[in-house]
Amino acid sequence: MLDGGMDPVGALALRMGDNALILGHRVSEWCGRAPVLEEDIALANIALDLIGQAQLWLGLAGEADGRSADELAFLRDAWDFRCLLLVEQPNGDFGRTVMRQFLFDAWHVEMLRGLCGSREPRVSEIAQKAVREVEYHLERSSAQVIALGDGTEESHGRMQAALDWLWPWAGEALVADPVDVALAEAGVAPSVEELRPGWEATLRAVLGEATLNIPESEFAHRGGKDGKRHSEALGHLLTQMQWLQRAYPGAEW
């Protein structure tokens, strides 16, 4: 049993679901505010993809104790979430949003490809449904990082600043904790060591073409995926995301 008594499948599903849910909400914050109309629509579609994936993962996570995906999304406090610190971070300017998406997509693709081979059929099934969407997300965010990084002097500067700011939040996904080790040993998820070569290769290729310098520091903030210490940003996000269900318990459309 893992993480407060959850079985390996539940622990994995909660992490995957929380990542998709929180990043999906962050991306949705651009709806009606993106720089151009086409981008507004594209970001809304990416947010919907992620929230759709969150519903599948959280539905699986809640099977053990009878909670629904909605209950897990809207009726938990910050310390119960198991998302990476990276996805919690505020949108900032558009360059920071693009860089955050790219750094997450590069990990997400490797993780989902690994989960397609999970010995747990329900995990493999959800991963196979999600991986094509996320491969498209990565293709798109990579193209944007290259276009803006290798663009004007201003766009290059903003993208380098975004990478420098987000870098300490990006490494958590590639630092194994006891839950990651147990999931790999159970054959439910790939090990962190399996994910790193693909993630690093994607970063070197895309950031190199974008003429951006990868920070040398290997420091990584930790505490998001095990729930020990979330950033202040998550609490503010949950206040916005959960207010309706908190104000009107049991409300339905």
Side-chain angles (χ1 to χ4, degrees):
M1 304 292 276
L2 300 170
D3 197 2
M6 298 193 76
D7 63 28
V9 173
L12 171 73
L14 193 62
R15 289 184 172 196
M16 295 299 292
D18 283 350
N19 283 330
L21 176 68
I22 298 303
L23 184 58
H25 183 84
R26 274 284 182 239
V27 176
S28 78
E29 292 174 348
W30 278 103
C31 188
R33 303 174 58 193
V36 295
L37 184 58
E38 183 178 357
E39 193 61 33
D40 201 298
I41 295 170
L43 289 170
N45 282 329
I46 290 171
L48 285 172
D49 287 346
L50 290 169
I51 291 171
Q53 292 168 27
Q55 189 161 25
L56 295 174
W57 287 120
L58 294 181
L60 179 58
E63 284 185 2
D65 59 7
R67 285 186 290 179
S68 69
D70 286 342
E71 290 171 324
L72 288 172
F74 297 119
L75 297 178
R76 282 182 296 155
D77 290 314
W79 50 81
D80 293 323
F81 276 77
R82 296 293 182 266
C83 54
L84 297 169
L85 295 170
L86 175 66
V87 302
E88 303 172 2
Q89 301 312 306
N91 289 331
D93 70 10
F94 190 66
R96 187 178 292 182
T97 292
V98 169
M99 185 59 73
R100 183 191 61 204
Q101 188 71 40
F102 167 69
L103 293 171
F104 178 76
D105 290 343
W107 170 82
H108 204 193
V109 162
E110 296 299 325
M111 184 64 170
L112 288 173
R113 286 173 178 167
L115 292 177
C116 287
S118 171
R119 66 187 304 175
E120 167 52 54
R122 294 170 298 172
V123 170
S124 177
E125 181 180 347
I126 295 174
Q128 290 177 46
K129 286 181 180 177
V131 70
R132 285 196 173 185
E133 290 177 344
V134 175
E135 286 173 344
Y136 165 72
H137 296 174
L138 177 59
E139 179 181 337
R140 188 173 184 282
S141 62
S142 297
Q144 288 186 315
V145 167
I146 293 169
L148 293 172
D150 193 27
T152 66
E153 182 178 351
E154 179 177 353
S155 70
H156 174 84
R158 288 193 179 199
M159 294 304 289
Q160 185 64 58
L163 176 59
D164 293 344
W165 193 85
L166 287 166
W167 188 250
W169 306 104
E172 182 186 14
L174 277 300
V175 178
D177 68 3
V179 174
D180 292 318
V181 173
L183 290 172
E185 290 178 348
V188 174
S191 69
V192 167
E193 290 71 24
E194 292 177 64
L195 305 179
R196 182 177 289 278
W199 183 79
E200 290 182 341
T202 299
L203 261 59
R204 284 196 298 271
V206 173
L207 297 177
E209 191 171 351
T211 69
L212 298 173
N213 297 317
I214 298 177
E216 295 181 359
S217 173
E218 296 183 358
F219 171 75
H221 291 291
R222 300 173 64 180
K225 65 181 179 181
D226 58 16
K228 292 180 178 176
R229 185 173 58 195
H230 286 287
S231 64
E232 181 181 352
L234 180 63
H236 293 290
L237 182 151
L238 294 180
T239 299
Q240 293 296 318
M241 191 179 78
Q242 297 180 334
W243 76 267
L244 181 63
Q245 193 58 238
R246 298 284 189 182
Y248 304 98
E252 296 179 0
W253 290 107

